[in-house]
Amino acid sequence: MAELHPVCAPLAFLLGTWQGTGTGVYPTIEDFSYAEEVSFTHAGKPFVAYTQRTKDAGSGLPLHAEAGYLRPQEGGRVELVLVQPSGIAELLEGTVEDQNIQLASNAVLGTGSAKPVTATERRFWVEGEVLYSSVAMAAVGLELQPHVVSEMYRLS
Ligand code: HEM
């Protein structure tokens, strides 16, 4: 296996596969619960690949999924480029410090048929054995507010 690129060292705490559960809210939809699996991998290059998939907690049917790349920068900065099958693409920038990544979008784009999303904020943070992941969004004409939050445990 390739050696971790030195600029990825601040992201090493994420590497591997994590599984858990989450909950979602938004003023325009019913609250929901989901199961989630995420993987963070590297190939010796100066980025970390991220994939995520979720399932409805009750029916087990697929819900949201996304894939992208975390691109660490000098001085504790990090970028995330991300796409979703719902037709949305996000470019986010932020910081990584003490196993805590905080990102805000500098662009959110949608295909012609995608629901309108104008801004997102995301966090990934580890406390003890738990990886937490959260997304807030400004969507369908509403202000930035929480959409999903989850807790996951390491599988590998
Ligand atoms: C764990 C991640 C996520 C899960 C499990 C999830 C799940 C859901 C569910 C179940 C709904 C309601 C039914 C539907 O419209 O499909 C929904 C609505 C929506 N989600 Fe998510 N979502 C996630 C992440 C995201 C992200 C990252 C974005 C945008 C960047 C997003 C944007 C939206 C939008 C725009 C709606 C529609 C709201 C409306 O119609 O008023 N979701 N999501």
Side-chain angles (χ1 to χ4, degrees), residues 3-48:
E3 217 167 288
L4 187 66
H5 193 289
V7 303
C8 292
L11 303 179
F13 70 97
L14 288 173
L15 293 172
T17 298
W18 304 73
Q19 255 186 5
T21 56
T23 53
V25 296
Y26 213 67
T28 50
I29 59 175
E30 295 281 319
D31 296 359
F32 57 93
S33 303
Y34 60 94
E36 180 170 23
E37 182 174 313
V38 297
S39 287
F40 297 91
T41 56
H42 79 94
K45 303 277 282 177
F47 54 80
V48 167

Side-chain angles (χ1 to χ4, degrees), residues 58-74:
S59 67
L61 291 172
L63 280 180
H64 180 93
E66 58 192 28
Y69 298 93
L70 281 159
R71 297 163 38 80
Q73 306 295 316
E74 295 294 315

Side-chain angles (χ1 to χ4, degrees), residues 26 28-30 32 34 36 52 54 63-64 66 82 84 86 88 90 108 115-117 120 122 135 137 139-140 147-148:
Y26 213 67
T28 50
I29 59 175
E30 295 281 319
F32 57 93
Y34 60 94
E36 180 170 23
Q52 181 247 35
T54 64
L63 280 180
H64 180 93
E66 58 192 28
L82 196 59
Q84 302 163 23
S86 49
I88 294 166
E90 293 171 61
V108 183
K115 292 263 174 99
V117 178
T120 59
R122 290 171 174 264
V135 181
M137 65 179 181
V140 294
H147 183 37
V148 288

